[in-house]
Amino acid sequence: MQQELKAKLEKVIDLVNNVLVDPDIEIDYYIPENIEKIDMHDTHSSAPYVLLKYAINETHVQEQKILIKHNYLSKTPEDLANLVTFFIEQFIEQISSVQIGPQ
């Protein structure tokens, strides 16, 4: 089961990387080695996550962590990739609105 889950998450990473190309956003993926034994309800533990980083300027980096919650892991890799991509797009919109300011 651990290998299946790890393979699923690796496929999600490939799908997200193929869809989303933004040179300004750094995307780091964290998949714990012992994925079967993690407590998915403890958000501060070693649950899988995607960390987004955007350097606004030399001194400020905006970050957002997307936790891959337990109920997300039952989704197909494609659905999970779509969900992660959606969160990344929201992050990009958030940064754009901060940079541009209120209209």
Side-chain angles (χ1 to χ4, degrees), residues 1-44:
M1 180 70 176
Q2 180 176 347
Q3 285 303 101
E4 289 174 24
L5 199 49
K6 213 168 187 170
K8 178 189 270 191
L9 290 173
E10 287 170 358
K11 180 166 172 114
V12 168
I13 291 169
D14 288 341
L15 290 167
V16 170
N17 286 341
N18 287 337
V19 170
L20 200 72
V21 178
D22 189 328
D24 296 331
I25 304 244
E26 181 182 328
I27 304 174
D28 292 323
Y29 302 93
Y30 176 73
I31 302 172
E33 282 300 314
N34 202 0
I35 198 163
E36 285 301 305
K37 301 220 186 294
I38 59 176
D39 179 359
M40 291 296 216
H41 303 290
D42 177 6
T43 58
H44 301 291

Side-chain angles (χ1 to χ4, degrees), residues 56-68:
I56 293 175
N57 56 36
E58 312 274 310
T59 59
H60 185 70
V61 175
Q62 181 79 24
E63 290 187 358
Q64 182 172 331
K65 184 187 272 190
I66 302 169
L67 287 173
I68 309 297

